Amino acid sequence: MSETTAPPIYMRRREFDPDPELARLRDEGGVTRTKTFLGVDVWVVSRYADVREVLSDPQRFPIAGPLAFRGPAAPPMSDAELAYLRAGNLLSWDPPEHTRLRRMLTGEFTVRRMRRLEPRIREIVDDHLDAMERQGPPADLVTSFALPIPSLVICELLGVPYEDRDGFQHRTRRMLDLSVPLDERRAVQLESRAYMEELVGRKRAEPDDALLGMLVREHGDELTDAELSGIGTLLLLAGHETTSNMLALGTLALLRNPGQLKLMRDEPERVDGAVEEMLRWLSIVHSGTAKITTTEVTIGGQRIGPGEVVVCALPAANRDPNLVTDPETLDLTRDAAGHVAFGHGVHHCLGAPLARMEMRIAFPALLRRFPTLRTTGAEPDFRSFTIVYGLAALPVEW
């Protein structure tokens, strides 16, 4: 199928910033209609309060599902194939099915459980910093630091063999890259599910102490293999892709803001709030799950009929002056609590405590180990047409 190469307005960036046109639309009305890259009409909601309203109400704004974005030229998808791809994927369901699936996982992602992982995460970070130091500059921060750390953490948490990382990282990049034709992305998605189903089969035979093994032991009679593979596929993808892009893009942002870098490096008491501000300011997830109206609604003064697709522009919402003052400025001293970088409502990111911990450890450790860290002068390779925004490469030296 043919697809355009221009991302829709809610995905457009100028390096760290949302497209200025999106900010203008937010400030003038907050709701606008546009087309996706597949030619599907959607309503874009961009004000902070309106985004929270949409994300808080799965009755009026349930998940739209993959069919809403298919467009007239999309290859067909059978009901059986659609059901298989939705099974176990928390981003494909609203309550009560979402509640059923999530309650089996919530206990594994509490702040208390994440603190048990802290020593191991510190060890993983230090190991990769040691490797960078031994190899010496220059280095690609993405491949040497930002990507392998969350990949190894999520592999150990789930019980996925780390030697399989090249395969799942490649599949993830293809699935999230919207310049890849839809039929190719679907084929990669099926490959990912097949990989996870094979792993689930091994866990069924010999459940270990990792998360997938725990699910088999404690909920194996409640979950089908398709559901287990759906849960595992989503957690593996989200568990490394989002944090790795935050680490790479966030490092570049700090290198371009030396005063903020110094705060992150030298004032450990600020690190929790600093990470929240980084999440707000970068907002690497453009929109999260799309919604579809079940009735006529009014958002931001705009009437929207039933059956319409609604997309929340998270970067614009997080730069809303009604959330923080001077929102375009990266200020690690501010209180950025309440941002929607992890979403909001029932679909608030399950792995948020893990992502926060990884960033709280990794950013200061990197900056302290290499106090003269700097870019090499090469242009950063921004990934502009992917579901998760970030950098393909970041050459650095010290």
Side-chain angles (χ1 to χ4, degrees), residues 7 62 135 145 158 169 229 237 274 282 348 384:
Q135 179 179 327
F145 186 78
L158 290 177
Q169 288 170 358
S229 68
L237 182 156
L282 293 172
H348 182 272
S384 59

Side-chain angles (χ1 to χ4, degrees), residues 22-307:
L22 184 59
R24 184 188 67 79
L25 291 169
R26 178 199 62 214
D27 296 340
E28 290 183 357
V31 180
T32 187
R33 196 165 194 178
T34 190
K35 288 186 181 294
T36 68
F37 68 104
L38 290 174
V40 177
D41 289 324
V42 299
W43 290 96
V44 179
V45 178
S46 52
R47 287 180 177 170
Y48 174 74
D50 296 337
V51 164
R52 282 176 61 99
E53 180 179 350
V54 171
L55 297 180
S56 298
D57 192 345
Q59 282 72 45
R60 292 190 302 154
F61 300 97
I63 288 175
L67 296 181
F69 283 95
R70 287 169 56 76
M77 180 182 292
S78 69
D79 291 342
E81 186 176 41
L82 180 61
Y84 174 69
L85 291 176
R86 292 184 72 200
N89 185 342
L90 276 74
L91 299 183
S92 295
W93 299 98
D94 287 306
E97 180 64 10
H98 174 270
T99 306
R100 180 183 78 90
L101 294 169
R102 185 154 176 152
R103 69 173 173 80
M104 302 180 198
L105 297 166
T106 301
E108 296 301 308
F109 287 92
T110 61
V111 172
R112 180 173 57 85
R113 290 286 181 93
M114 291 303 102
R115 284 178 180 152
R116 293 182 186 175
L117 292 176
E118 183 172 353
R120 178 57 181 145
I121 295 174
R122 290 190 182 279
E123 182 181 12
I124 290 170
V125 168
D126 287 341
D127 287 346
H128 284 81
L129 291 173
D130 291 343
M132 284 178 63
E133 196 166 24
R134 285 194 301 270
Q135 179 179 327
D140 175 11
L141 194 77
V142 172
T143 57
S144 61
F145 186 78
L147 182 57
I149 288 171
S151 295
L152 181 53
V153 170
I154 197 64
C155 281
E156 292 194 3
L157 181 65
L158 290 177
V160 173
Y162 187 55
E163 57 267 24
D164 294 347
R165 65 190 181 280
D166 288 344
F168 70 69
Q169 288 170 358
H170 172 75
R171 290 190 294 269
T172 295
R173 285 193 296 270
R174 300 289 287 174
M175 281 190 288
L176 298 180
D177 185 349
L178 297 181
S179 68
V180 175
L182 186 60
D183 53 350
E184 291 184 28
R185 295 206 310 277
R186 189 197 306 171
V188 174
Q189 190 177 8
L190 290 170
E191 288 176 19
S192 297
R193 293 296 292 263
Y195 164 78
M196 192 58 67
E197 278 208 343
E198 190 275 332
L199 183 60
V200 165
R202 282 187 268 155
K203 302 294 184 181
R204 288 272 194 196
E206 295 183 50
D208 54 23
D209 294 329
L211 192 148
L212 286 175
M214 177 279 294
L215 287 174
V216 167
R217 288 196 315 274
E218 297 184 10
H219 305 287
D221 294 336
E222 304 171 65
L223 294 167
T224 66
D225 284 356
E227 288 175 325
L228 283 166
S229 68
I231 291 170
T233 299
L234 174 63
L235 294 180
L236 181 61
L237 182 156
H240 80 274
E241 184 68 19
T242 50
T243 306
S244 69
N245 281 295
M246 273 298 302
L247 290 175
L249 196 64
T251 299
L252 179 59
L254 292 171
L255 291 174
R256 291 190 178 177
N257 292 270
Q260 302 303 304
L261 184 152
K262 189 174 186 300
L263 290 173
M264 179 71 83
R265 184 191 64 209
D266 298 340
E267 301 188 23
E269 69 277 9
R270 292 191 185 275
V271 69
D272 289 2
V275 165
E276 297 307 312
E277 171 67 353
M278 298 281 284
L279 287 161
R280 179 201 71 84
W281 196 70
L282 293 172
S283 296
I284 60 167
V285 176
H286 301 290
S287 60
T289 54
K291 312 297 181 179
I292 191 163
T293 54
T294 56
T295 185
E296 183 177 288
V297 298
T298 300
I299 291 288
Q302 174 67 54
R303 295 177 64 187
I304 301 174

Side-chain angles (χ1 to χ4, degrees), residues 2 15-16 58 80 86 88 138 166 214 221 228 249 254 323-324 335 343 347 349 354 398:
S2 66
E15 295 199 341
F16 304 109
R86 292 184 72 200
D166 288 344
M214 177 279 294
D221 294 336
L228 283 166
L249 196 64
L254 292 171
L323 172 60
V324 295
D335 180 4
H347 289 286
C349 177
L354 177 60
W398 53 92

Side-chain angles (χ1 to χ4, degrees), residues 277 280-281 318-321 324-330 334:
E277 171 67 353
R280 179 201 71 84
W281 196 70
N318 278 335
R319 299 282 187 100
D320 190 330
V324 295
T325 58
D326 191 19
E328 301 301 324
T329 298
L330 177 65
R334 81 161 92 237

